[in-house]
Amino acid sequence: MSLPRKRGREATDDTEGAPRPGVRPTEPTDPNDHGGQGVLGRAHRALSVGIVSVIVLIAFEATAVGTAMPVAARELDGVALYAFAFSAYFTTSLFGMVVSGQWADRRGPSAPFAWGILAFAGGLVLSGTAGGMWPFLLGRAVQGLGGGLVIVALYVVIARAYPERLRPALMAALAAGWILPSVVGPLAAGLVTEHLGWRWVFLGIPLLVLAPLALALPRIRRRVAGPGSAADGGDTRAPLDRRRVRLALAVSVGAGLLQYAAQDRRLIALLPAAAGLALLVPSVRGLLPPGTLRAARGLPSVVLLRGVAAGSFVVAESFVPLMLVTQRGLSPTSAGLSLAAGGLTWALGSWLQARPATEPHRERLMTLGMLLVAAAVAAAPCVLVEAVPAVTLAVAWAFGCFGMGLVISSTSVLLLKLSAPGETGRDSAALQISDGLANILLLAGAGVAFATLGGGAVGHAVGGHSASRPGAFLAVFLPMAAVALAGAWLTRRLVPPAPTARALPGTVAARTGDRTGAERASDRTPEARV
């Protein structure tokens, strides 16, 4: 459930119009700022509608598939692999994100967008026709590849086609695109699952691909078809960064090996686990901004926070329908609808962060958001107690989604604000890699804990008598609440170091927080927070 964000960057060379150190460029110099028009002004209306239509498709898929997943896992005899039905998507999306960032920066975002939509639809068809859990996971992997291509391409479109002042509002519009799918998706998917079968949920969604493709692709080709202007750093002659592609492939393979090892509790599983770590650790360091793993101030902490927030929330939300269906006896429709209000509150949080009046308080709002997420995730397993009404979870989740709206939209806005010219695709890919990798690793860990404590036995509860395994669900939700609390601490490290002669905007020092003691001391001045 993750959403895209974007932004441009100040030039730092001696070209005409480049800002002097410490001087921010004025908004009217942006060629995309058409006379102060909004996202639905004449200049942006068609593209904005096309982009939002794509997000509506992604949102509908996420809510509908999440509702049908418990029944699909049971009928394919794969409840023990339940977590990997989600992490397989994120694993291949990592590779798609890096390829899309490279592709879009050099050739424009239209091609990765189009191919991504087609792969997304193809993966749904593969999963919908699968005869077993492993072919089902293969379909999810193909779908993830397409999703990775699409999400980063959209980031690049927003960065190139919209001025900085409109990006928070567009992020709020994208979050609002989740409202209708969050209500209609679970209801429609639940009814289809109960009356026609879960396969028709997967096979029906590809028919919805045609509308967003027809709406968005022509506008993208007209507005941002090429590699971008010199100010954007686009260069169609620049060769593909094969090293980053190899690193992305290593991350995906490494994550896949870790997931395979996680579902096999025999001693021999340590071999693929070790191989996965050997591929994953150095590759991640090469794909994320320097300083990300140590939470350096500025862009690295923004990227890290995105993973912490998305990972803790997505893992917990993935298990909510399964918990309600198997432990409280709710139907798939009712379990899915318990999350419906979250779409509205997520959009409300995103709308709030887009208000000009809240801009000076963005960090505090993000801290509040992460605290709300932690509280919601910790409160979710309360419904394991029969005396607690199931609606309690729906209320708690609505507050958690409000917090996510504050945080996810803000990380996208900050990322676009801190990206250097020509690196929008690269940095957007890094943000999504952090998002996807956190989902993969936390889902794998949660899947192991869930299966170890008897979670596989609850598969016989879908459509039958409940096999009570409260400990298995507690082992998922409580650690995720702790991860969300760590994210609240990270929100205090989002302000980049003040630009100095030694750390001009766009340099490695400015992006990673590698500064002298005097420069770190300057963070305490009012100017450091501008």
Side-chain angles (χ1 to χ4, degrees):
M1 289 182 59
S2 49
L3 295 174
R5 304 293 189 269
K6 320 193 172 98
R7 53 172 183 349
R9 180 64 179 241
E10 300 174 358
T12 58
D13 57 14
D14 294 328
T15 59
E16 182 179 349
R20 296 185 301 277
V23 179
R24 297 177 65 86
T26 59
E27 200 64 44
T29 62
D30 193 328
N32 293 314
D33 199 350
H34 298 272
Q37 294 184 26
V39 294
L40 292 179
R42 180 179 301 177
H44 301 293
R45 184 185 303 126
L47 182 59
S48 297
V49 171
I51 291 174
V52 171
S53 70
V54 175
I55 296 303
V56 170
L57 169 68
I58 293 173
F60 188 81
E61 180 275 336
T63 56
V65 167
T67 300
M69 196 69 77
V71 178
R74 173 201 172 240
E75 291 192 3
L76 295 174
D77 195 24
V79 173
L81 298 174
Y82 182 81
F84 304 107
F86 296 94
S87 60
Y89 178 99
F90 296 117
T91 299
T92 52
S93 70
L94 293 177
F95 181 68
M97 289 167 190
V98 173
V99 171
S100 184
Q102 296 278 310
W103 199 347
D105 279 344
R106 286 157 179 76
R107 306 291 180 181
S110 59
F113 172 79
W115 283 104
I117 288 286
L118 293 176
F120 188 83
L124 285 165
V125 172
L126 285 175
S127 291
T129 57
M133 196 61 178
W134 287 108
F136 179 86
L137 296 180
L138 175 62
R140 292 289 288 166
V142 173
Q143 187 187 351
L145 178 64
L149 291 171
V150 169
I151 204 72
V152 173
L154 286 180
Y155 266 78
V156 176
V157 171
I158 296 175
R160 293 185 184 176
Y162 294 85
E164 184 175 334
R165 67 176 181 83
L166 290 181
R167 291 169 194 157
L170 186 60
M171 295 306 109
L174 298 186
W178 282 79
I179 296 176
L180 185 61
S182 295
V183 176
V184 176
L187 177 61
L191 292 174
V192 170
T193 299
E194 292 174 25
H195 298 287
L196 298 178
W198 65 267
R199 294 183 185 275
W200 288 104
V201 174
F202 287 83
L203 296 176
I205 294 175
L207 299 177
L208 304 177
V209 165
L210 299 177
L213 193 62
L215 279 171
L217 188 57
R219 278 80 181 179
I220 292 174
R221 284 176 172 168
R222 279 198 292 269
R223 293 287 298 275
V224 286
S229 65
D232 292 328
D235 184 2
T236 189
R237 298 167 300 177
L240 182 70
D241 189 344
R242 299 184 185 280
R243 176 178 175 273
R244 285 185 64 80
V245 174
R246 287 195 298 269
L247 289 174
L249 182 60
V251 166
S252 296
V253 173
L257 288 172
L258 280 178
Q259 291 172 77
Y260 178 80
Q263 57 85 36
D264 188 347
R265 283 173 284 167
R266 295 176 300 171
L267 191 60
I268 196 172
L270 292 176
L271 293 178
L277 286 173
L279 286 171
L280 197 62
V281 174
S283 301
V284 167
R285 293 176 65 88
L287 288 172
L288 299 181
T292 299
L293 298 183
R294 58 182 176 83
R297 287 188 175 273
L299 183 66
S301 285
V302 172
V303 171
L304 182 59
L305 176 62
R306 178 58 165 261
V308 168
S312 59
F313 185 83
V314 168
V315 171
E317 188 174 60
S318 299
F319 281 85
V320 166
L322 185 67
M323 179 171 65
L324 292 176
V325 169
T326 63
Q327 305 301 289
R328 295 301 299 265
L330 271 65
S331 68
T333 303
S334 299
L337 284 175
S338 68
L339 305 177
L344 179 61
T345 56
W346 187 309
L348 179 62
S350 187
W351 174 86
L352 180 62
Q353 64 82 36
R355 300 303 89 196
T358 63
E359 179 61 33
H361 311 290
R362 186 175 295 278
E363 289 174 79
R364 295 176 186 174
L365 287 175
M366 295 174 76
T367 303
L368 172 64
M370 288 309 305
L371 291 175
L372 287 174
V373 171
V377 173
C382 290
V383 299
L384 292 169
V385 179
E386 287 290 336
V388 177
V391 72
T392 304
L393 188 149
V395 174
W397 216 249
F399 280 98
C401 287
F402 177 76
M404 286 295 286
L406 292 174
V407 174
I408 295 299
S409 296
S410 291
T411 57
S412 298
V413 170
L414 290 174
L415 178 105
L416 294 174
K417 192 174 184 179
L418 296 173
S419 282
E423 295 185 5
T424 304
R426 178 190 181 108
D427 289 344
S428 297
L431 188 75
Q432 296 300 325
I433 287 170
S434 176
D435 187 320
L437 186 60
N439 290 333
I440 292 167
L441 296 180
L442 292 177
L443 275 167
V448 170
F450 183 73
T452 300
L453 294 178
V458 306
H460 304 292
V462 183
H465 295 290
S466 174
S468 180
R469 292 291 188 274
F473 288 99
L474 287 172
V476 172
F477 287 98
L478 296 186
M480 293 307 106
V483 172
L485 277 178
W489 171 80
L490 273 176
T491 60
R492 314 310 303 165
R493 302 187 59 79
L494 304 180
V495 176
T500 68
R502 297 185 62 182
L504 296 177
T507 63
V508 171
R511 288 156 52 85
T512 65
D514 292 331
R515 304 155 293 151
T516 65
E519 290 167 340
R520 287 192 294 270
S522 69
D523 284 353
R524 293 189 291 271
T525 68
E527 293 77 12
R529 302 182 67 83
V530 176

